[in-house]
Amino acid sequence: MKPTDIQDPEYFHKVVDCQFACPAHTPVPEYIRLIAQERYTDAYMINWESNVFPGVLGRTCDRPCEPACRRGRVEEEPVAICRLKRVAADFKDDVKGLLPGAGPKNGKKVALIGGGPASLTVARDLAPLGYELHLYDEHAKAGGFMRSQIPAFRLPDEVLDEEVGYVLDMGVHTHFNKYVDSLQSILDQDYDAIFVGCGAPRGRDLPNLPGRKEADKNIHIGIDWLSSVAFEHTKSIGKRVIVLGGGNTAMDCCRTSRRLGGEDVKVIVRSPFEDMKASPWEKEDAIHEGIPILDNHVPKEFVVKDGKLVGMKFEKVEAQYDAEGKRSLVPTGEDLVYVECDDVLIAIGQENAFPWIEKSTGVRFTSWGTPIINDDETFQSTNKRVFFGGDSAFGPANIITAVAHGHKAAVSIDMYCNGQNPEVNRPAPHVTLVSQKMGIHEWSYDSIPVIDKREAVPLVALEEALKSKTLEVELGFDVETAFVQAERCLNCDAQTVFTDSACIECDACTDICPTSCISFVENAEEPELRQSLLVPAENAEQDLYVSGELATGKVMVKDEDVCLHCGLCAERCPTAAWDMQKFYYTMAKAAPVLVEAAE
Amino acid sequence: MSYIKPKFRHPRLPTNKLGFTVADYDGAISTLCAGCGHDSISAAIRNACFQSAIPPHRIAKVSGIGCSSKMPTYFLGKSHGFNSVHGRMPSVATGASLANRDLTYIGVSGDGDTASIGMGQFIHLIRRNVNMTYIVANNGCYGLTKGQDSATADLGSVAKGGAVNPFDGIDLAALALLQGASFVARSFSGDKGQLEPLIRAAMAHKGFAFIDVVSPCVTFNNHVGSTKSYAETREHLDAMPLDFVPMREEITTQYAEGTTQAVTLHDGSAIHLKKADATYKANDRRAAMDVVQQAHADGRILTGLLYLDPDSQDLNQNLNLATRPLNELGKDELCPGSKVLKSINEGLR
């Protein structure tokens, strides 16, 4: 193999698994260390710069970081990254003085359609540059699906209002209760650019199922129903409720039903339990609230009696997988299952819908109904003045993805408004790499990993929780628990940087490495090299760090897979050929860099 | 300085025949200087015991005093051990081996502990052919007392302070050959590919197995002018690579014909000497002495298996001791009573 190019920031970026997996590339280990140091405000600001909604995400994020966490590969459970983020938000001081304000006017005007996380991120990134921003939303408040679809018992209004407020207070002109029904009418105004962040507003239905029309009064589309609950148009539901679907929206629907009068609430889903789209912890939360999940049941009929919905019929199936692993649901041949109910909530997915975008706008769509966009960097549509982001770009995803889209779209919009082509010469990420050496054998971080286990976040008593639609179920970590949980982080951003010219091949590093990551071997092609290491590098998703040729003709090969970043290789190195250097990476943003790596 | 090693290990560490991983043979974290050759030897001993699947509780580590003699703390944390007086490890090892002949004994010593204060004991250990592996971590200086020349420092080697050594060094391997050691080898701490199979062969050997290991002192003897630095050792290294194949195990490596020579040990395990030409005879003591002298004259550091007598009789055999370890014999066996005494007395009348 060729020597690894550590000048390419993406190499070390990939080593920080959590940050790499985060769509907005939040510098996770950096803020977790700050939490351990009780520097909650600093931890919050690092988050805020990257993901704009730390308090919201600390409660609701889909957490792509946690399955990626290296700790999950050396023991049972990853670091509780998401809930530590909430700790930063819960215990921070007043941050208003630290936030950027609107910059001096630059004479450019941008319209933001939809007030969700994508649009708000664009606003956050463009406001300090002096853009005049106009945000349109059909509701009375901004927040998008963070407000309309995430129930208040998971995300209190105050938390959302605070973080939405930080953005709007940067001088954003809001046009609430204004449903934009024509993109052309916006294009006809003097906006220099238009960002569409209107989400994926149409919930899928089961229009052809028998009884659908007759029972319409008691059948609700999940996302519309949640929104109507959030804006207090809906205040109750029947005693017996069936929720169809297996995603996170279904979980929010069933748990909300329990708080609106639903006593016998069931989730009924076509797929096997393990294949459900909902995050494992959201399924657990639903089950904890006494909601059974019936899997492998395909809806067949709404049963109507005397003009009113009385139940549903389901066909039992089992999942079979072909040689390519493709799943098909095959009926078991048993009798249809009848489940009585008063109301049904359909939460089987969402799709994009743009009835308000006219052909004349030049914005064209794929056969899937999503806009044709250059790529997932520029977010520019076929009308160069119009940019998309969030769910409206590629279909339903999650908040953190919408934020990442917003950052990238803001860069594109800024380039476009300055007469540059957003496809080329996009700004590079902000990167620093600094030695963490404090003494001969001392590092600036707690280098030796602790063995404490992950702890669950404490909850309010179930009885109390079910009584209220707004009482937050999760209590959050206290500072003591947060410290222990923060210390579980392996500091993967403390990179093992190797200088081959300094190496005398004494083997000290390979002898001391607790997880046998470092080998000195003859060079070879990657597959062969992977097998020749002290422990074969079988996790192909993790890179090998290969040095240049050493004096004996061998090369140093480090398998990044289970490196603990404990720094012992560097401590035992007599010539400082190894050094632990903190890699701080933030994705390119339109706004100037706000937070540097902590001292 | 880190005084603890993290508890986590690679989740896919291979296991040996006993089901142990190499981590089960770990000791405490080393307090020697970073980059010390001795740490590499510790790791080689650990790896060798793991590979040979010796139960850790069937091993006893013995040592004297010095940087080298601290080493046993840093490997085989679950084995027996005795840290003896300076240069007196051979007495302790002899006694231990007599008391319990069933354990595997690993003696770790240094150039000071063996070639200076312990020389008198060392010679007799060889003469008695005590069944043990004796490793000298040889760095040519007294690292623990700030790097004075030791008795194995080479003639002309420059100390860190600039003084040139006016004396010829003691060649411990040559001495062991001369005194009749049944297994003599030399190696280099930076060459685990050779050192590990040598240690495995030494542990399998019945009798006294001596390995002189050049082990650079990074702090006091790793500079330009030193003959035992990493760079200088590598520069002059003439290594004879080898493999160790334990008894009843099939040879899986393929060697080109005429490039390898197998030496069979007493227990049926074998050492495969790679690159050995047909004239090389591992069991010819005089030839071995010649080869060592020639390498010395050429300025080469010849490493590998220098001499092996596969049929050697160890101390326990020579003394006709009970085949069961003495420490396992009970009162009835050690003191069989007046009836037996009477019959012995009768036999002598």
Side-chain angles (χ1 to χ4, degrees):
Chain A
M1 283 178 79
K2 283 198 185 126
T4 302
D5 178 14
I6 57 167
Q7 299 303 316
D8 175 1
E10 291 310 309
Y11 181 76
F12 283 145
H13 184 201
K14 199 175 162 206
V15 173
V16 194
D17 293 290
C18 47
Q19 184 179 12
F20 190 70
C22 175
H25 305 309
T26 307
V28 177
E30 178 78 351
Y31 81 72
I32 288 185
R33 271 192 302 275
L34 291 168
I35 289 170
Q37 294 165 23
E38 299 184 331
R39 290 168 66 183
Y40 306 115
T41 304
D42 292 334
Y44 183 85
M45 289 309 293
I46 283 185
N47 269 289
W48 189 81
E49 183 177 25
S50 287
N51 55 49
V52 194
F53 306 102
V56 173
L57 289 162
R59 293 166 164 86
T60 62
C61 190
D62 260 4
R63 323 177 190 176
C65 51
E66 292 190 13
C69 174
R70 170 167 283 118
R71 183 124 190 156
R73 299 199 292 276
V74 292
E75 61 137 312
E76 294 88 36
E77 295 216 68
V79 175
I81 301 170
C82 181
R83 294 318 188 242
L84 284 169
K85 191 193 303 291
R86 176 178 164 178
V87 168
D90 284 356
F91 295 103
K92 69 179 189 302
D93 303 321
D94 187 356
V95 296
K96 284 203 191 85
L98 301 170
L99 305 176
K105 292 256 173 283
N106 70 354
K108 310 273 187 199
K109 230 174 125 179
V110 175
L112 308 162
I113 317 294
S119 287
L120 290 169
T121 303
V122 173
R124 205 288 305 264
D125 285 359
L126 294 183
L129 302 175
Y131 284 86
E132 182 180 323
L133 300 159
H134 291 265
L135 181 128
Y136 294 86
D137 198 281
E138 61 175 309
H139 293 299
K141 281 175 153 186
F145 76 66
M146 298 188 288
R147 191 179 301 281
S148 65
Q149 288 170 47
I150 298 175
F153 58 84
R154 282 180 57 209
L155 173 59
D157 276 350
E158 313 84 83
V159 175
L160 183 59
D161 289 345
E162 177 190 331
E163 293 186 334
V164 168
Y166 290 155
V167 178
L168 297 182
D169 290 350
M170 294 164 86
V172 177
H173 302 267
T174 55
H175 305 265
F176 290 143
N177 297 313
K178 167 88 179 91
Y179 178 76
V180 174
D181 56 5
S182 160
L183 178 61
Q184 192 58 56
S185 71
I186 301 282
L187 280 166
D188 291 344
Q189 297 174 45
D190 58 349
Y191 291 115
D192 294 280
I194 293 137
F195 177 79
V196 179
C198 62
R202 184 182 287 166
R204 288 219 180 90
D205 199 349
L206 293 165
N208 301 323
L209 220 58
R212 172 69 184 87
K213 255 188 215 141
E214 295 82 342
D216 187 58
K217 204 164 76 69
N218 295 94
I219 299 174
H220 320 276
I221 300 299
I223 59 164
D224 298 339
W225 183 79
L226 284 172
S227 168
S228 148
V229 173
F231 291 99
E232 305 201 321
H233 305 310
T234 296
K235 294 194 165 114
S236 67
I237 196 158
K239 282 202 162 68
R240 296 167 306 172
V241 182
I242 293 176
V243 177
L244 299 176
N248 289 338
T249 304
M251 299 304 114
D252 286 336
C253 282
C254 67
R255 294 179 67 193
T256 304
S257 299
R258 285 288 273 135
R259 289 160 172 80
L260 259 63
E263 289 168 7
D264 171 14
V265 181
K266 292 185 182 75
V267 171
I268 305 187
V269 56
R270 300 166 74 227
S271 64
F273 185 81
E274 304 73 42
D275 293 0
M276 286 168 61
K277 287 217 174 88
S279 310
W281 51 89
E282 300 218 5
K283 292 195 272 187
E284 279 165 27
D285 289 342
I287 294 166
H288 172 72
E289 295 186 351
I291 299 162
I293 297 176
L294 277 61
D295 62 350
N296 296 318
H297 281 65
V298 176
K300 281 289 163 191
E301 188 186 340
F302 295 100
V303 182
V304 183
K305 209 168 158 187
D306 302 330
K308 191 183 173 302
L309 178 74
V310 291
M312 279 194 77
K313 282 185 177 165
F314 296 89
E315 181 176 53
K316 281 192 82 176
V317 292
E318 59 184 14
Q320 287 179 7
Y321 299 87
D322 66 11
E324 284 159 19
K326 207 181 156 205
R327 189 187 78 188
S328 51
L329 297 173
V330 184
T332 60
E334 293 166 73
D335 291 342
L336 292 189
V337 177
Y338 177 65
V339 181
E340 291 184 341
C341 68
D342 301 315
D343 281 286
V344 172
L345 297 172
I346 305 181
I348 56 171
Q350 285 160 249
E351 47 199 17
N352 293 39
F354 302 97
W356 56 281
I357 297 185
E358 302 90 336
K359 273 210 168 122
S360 63
T361 58
V363 174
R364 291 191 286 126
F365 293 88
T366 67
S367 55
W368 297 89
T370 55
I372 295 173
I373 290 170
N374 271 356
D375 52 36
D376 61 0
E377 285 294 313
T378 65
F379 291 91
Q380 193 172 32
S381 76
T382 47
N383 179 332
K384 301 264 181 238
R385 236 172 100 199
V386 181
F387 299 80
F388 284 76
D391 288 358
S392 63
F394 300 116
N398 49 40
I399 303 171
I400 192 68
T401 304
V403 169
H405 289 183
H407 285 314
K408 291 177 179 177
V411 168
S412 301
I413 291 169
D414 187 40
M415 291 179 83
Y416 174 77
C417 288
N418 285 297
Q420 295 164 311
N421 178 359
E423 288 170 58
V424 290
N425 296 327
R426 292 179 69 83
H430 174 66
V431 176
T432 55
L433 186 65
V434 179
S435 176
Q436 298 301 292
K437 204 165 184 147
M438 301 285 282
I440 293 177
H441 296 128
E442 243 180 305
W443 306 106
S444 71
Y445 65 103
D446 291 338
S447 57
I448 299 297
V450 297
I451 54 170
D452 298 87
K453 299 282 182 201
R454 182 175 172 134
E455 273 183 56
V457 178
L459 308 177
V460 295
L462 183 59
E463 216 174 291
E464 292 296 309
L466 292 178
K467 272 188 206 155
S468 165
K469 180 161 83 67
T470 51
L471 176 67
E472 189 172 14
V473 174
E474 289 196 1
L475 295 168
F477 288 133
D478 57 29
V479 288
E480 288 80 15
T481 315
F483 173 73
V484 174
Q485 293 299 305
E487 285 289 286
R488 292 182 75 239
C489 175
L490 295 175
N491 303 289
C492 299
D493 60 342
Q495 303 284 353
T496 53
V497 179
F498 184 73
T499 309
D500 43 42
S501 58
C503 178
I504 58 168
E505 297 175 76
C506 67
D507 277 0
C509 52
T510 172
D511 291 339
I512 195 71
C513 178
T515 44
S516 314
C517 302
I518 302 167
S519 303
F520 288 82
V521 291
E522 305 289 335
N523 205 347
E525 288 306 311
E526 182 165 351
E528 208 183 313
L529 200 56
R530 282 182 172 272
Q531 288 307 310
S532 70
L533 306 182
L534 279 182
V535 180
E538 273 155 14
N539 183 356
E541 284 176 13
Q542 290 286 319
D543 288 338
L544 298 182
Y545 181 176
V546 183
S547 77
E549 195 175 283
L550 303 170
T552 61
K554 291 182 178 175
V555 286
M556 184 290 301
V557 183
K558 180 189 166 219
D559 178 9
E560 299 283 6
D561 188 17
V562 290
C563 169
L564 301 172
H565 297 260
C566 65
L568 284 177
C569 50
E571 277 188 33
R572 299 306 299 172
C573 182
T575 61
W578 287 106
D579 190 23
M580 305 306 289
Q581 299 187 4
K582 183 165 83 179
F583 177 75
Y584 187 73
Y585 176 109
T586 48
M587 68 187 281
K589 295 179 189 75
V593 171
L594 182 65
V595 185
E596 290 287 357
E599 290 287 318
Chain B
M1 175 147 164
S2 294
Y3 51 90
I4 36 167
K5 195 167 167 176
K7 293 275 181 284
F8 299 116
R9 294 291 178 270
H10 198 297
R12 292 182 295 279
L13 269 188
T15 53
N16 64 14
K17 273 187 210 154
L18 302 173
F20 292 134
T21 67
V22 74
D24 293 310
Y25 294 82
D26 270 339
I29 196 167
S30 171
T31 58
L32 296 170
C33 306
C36 179
H38 298 10
D39 283 335
S40 223
I41 301 174
S42 293
I45 296 172
R46 173 196 67 175
N47 296 350
C49 293
F50 161 74
Q51 288 157 14
S52 287
I54 305 176
H57 70 285
R58 303 305 294 162
I59 302 172
K61 310 170 286 184
V62 283
S63 68
I65 296 292
C67 293
S68 63
S69 297
K70 291 173 72 177
M71 283 164 59
T73 309
Y74 314 135
F75 58 84
L76 295 169
K78 290 165 186 161
S79 299
H80 308 279
F82 197 105
N83 221 177
S84 83
V85 186
H86 205 358
R88 271 61 185 165
M89 173 262 275
S91 316
V92 175
T94 307
S97 172
L98 288 172
N100 187 351
R101 62 188 294 170
D102 281 359
L103 296 185
T104 299
Y105 291 93
I106 302 172
V108 181
S109 183
D111 34 328
D113 197 57
T114 294
S116 294
I117 194 168
M119 182 58 100
Q121 296 231 337
F122 174 63
I123 284 288
H124 293 284
L125 192 64
I126 301 175
R127 187 174 69 88
R128 289 176 175 143
N129 202 21
V130 174
N131 185 15
M132 71 179 297
T133 298
Y134 190 107
I135 295 169
V136 169
N138 188 349
N139 57 18
C141 72
Y142 297 140
L144 210 56
T145 54
K146 302 204 171 151
Q148 300 84 349
D149 285 338
S150 79
T152 64
D154 296 303
L155 177 66
S157 184
V158 183
K160 199 172 184 180
V164 178
N165 179 26
F167 307 116
D168 215 342
I170 294 173
D171 182 338
L172 287 168
L175 187 72
L177 277 170
L178 190 66
Q179 189 47 54
S182 53
F183 180 117
V184 181
R186 194 182 335 258
S187 194
F188 168 45
S189 67
D191 184 7
K192 282 207 196 68
Q194 183 197 59
L195 182 55
E196 285 171 11
L198 269 180
I199 295 171
R200 295 182 67 191
M203 291 190 300
H205 173 67
K206 273 255 171 289
F208 184 74
F210 178 71
I211 311 176
D212 177 30
V213 187
V214 179
S215 175
C217 174
V218 277
T219 303
F220 295 111
N221 210 4
N222 195 37
H223 47 268
V224 175
S226 158
T227 56
K228 284 189 164 57
S229 65
Y230 278 104
E232 197 67 9
T233 306
R234 285 215 170 88
E235 176 78 29
H236 297 279
L237 200 63
D238 181 2
M240 187 192 292
L242 48 91
D243 282 341
F244 176 75
V245 182
M247 59 175 170
R248 291 192 291 275
E249 206 165 273
E250 285 209 46
I251 302 163
T252 49
T253 320
Q254 297 289 317
Y255 301 106
E257 207 173 327
T259 59
T260 176
Q261 217 188 90
V263 181
T264 309
L265 275 75
H266 191 74
D267 68 353
S269 47
I271 301 166
H272 287 264
L273 304 163
K274 301 184 249 180
K275 291 192 208 160
D277 66 43
T279 57
Y280 177 81
K281 281 201 178 59
N283 62 353
D284 185 336
R285 186 181 299 276
R286 276 196 291 180
M289 293 192 331
D290 257 8
V291 169
V292 171
Q293 293 298 327
Q294 190 60 51
H296 184 69
D298 298 347
R300 288 178 291 130
I301 301 167
L302 180 67
T303 65
L305 178 69
L306 303 174
Y307 173 76
L308 168 68
D309 171 9
D311 301 319
S312 87
Q313 296 277 306
D314 71 15
L315 179 63
N316 283 276
Q317 292 167 307
N318 272 330
L319 294 181
N320 270 324
L321 288 185
T323 49
R324 273 175 63 205
L326 296 184
N327 71 341
E328 283 179 20
L329 300 181
K331 189 173 129 252
D332 294 344
E333 290 148 304
L334 291 172
C335 190
S338 52
K339 211 171 156 190
V340 179
L341 180 64
K342 210 170 176 184
S343 79
I344 293 173
N345 284 341
E346 284 303 322
L348 296 172
R349 277 184 210 282

